[in-house]
Amino acid sequence: MTAMTRTEKTGARTDEAATLIGDARERIDALDDRIIGLIQERMAVSAVIQEARISSGGRRVNLAREMEVLAHYRDALGKPGTTLAMTMLELCRGRV
């Protein structure tokens, strides 16, 4: 079996476009790594908040705060932002 050429791998029809797409994909991969790292950092900070809230007799989740986060993402990214925020909040809940 032969290795795919960069043009075949990207679906581009020219070498120039394949190079542009390949470079852009490398940048996206680097951005994804940064986003994942930031989400992991957010999860850790959220765990600290939850632990403090629970140890002080409060509830693990503050629904009013979650609504603020959802609104922030919706305002910045539109309706898909709400879905993204819901997923992020789900990742950050219950880690204590």
Side-chain angles (χ1 to χ4, degrees):
M1 196 186 285
T2 61
M4 290 176 62
T5 66
R6 193 166 191 173
T7 305
E8 291 170 329
K9 189 174 180 180
T10 62
R13 296 192 183 259
T14 66
D15 289 339
E16 182 179 288
T19 298
L20 183 99
I21 291 167
D23 292 347
R25 284 181 178 172
E26 286 177 15
R27 186 164 179 225
I28 285 174
D29 290 345
L31 289 167
D32 285 343
D33 288 342
R34 287 173 47 199
I35 291 166
I36 290 167
L38 289 169
I39 290 171
Q40 290 170 331
E41 182 178 349
R42 190 189 194 287
M43 290 167 67
V45 172
S46 182
V48 169
I49 292 168
Q50 289 176 49
E51 186 175 320
R53 191 180 300 120
I54 291 168
S55 67
S56 71
R59 298 176 55 146
R60 178 175 50 88
V61 176
N62 181 329
L63 295 178
R65 172 62 181 154
E66 288 197 356
M67 294 306 293
E68 290 174 9
V69 172
L70 292 171
H72 180 68
Y73 275 71
R74 183 188 63 244
D75 292 346
L77 302 172
K79 187 177 178 181
T82 304
T83 303
L84 178 62
M86 286 295 295
T87 300
M88 184 193 57
L89 289 169
E90 182 180 348
L91 285 167
C92 292
R93 284 188 207 120
R95 299 290 183 183
V96 178

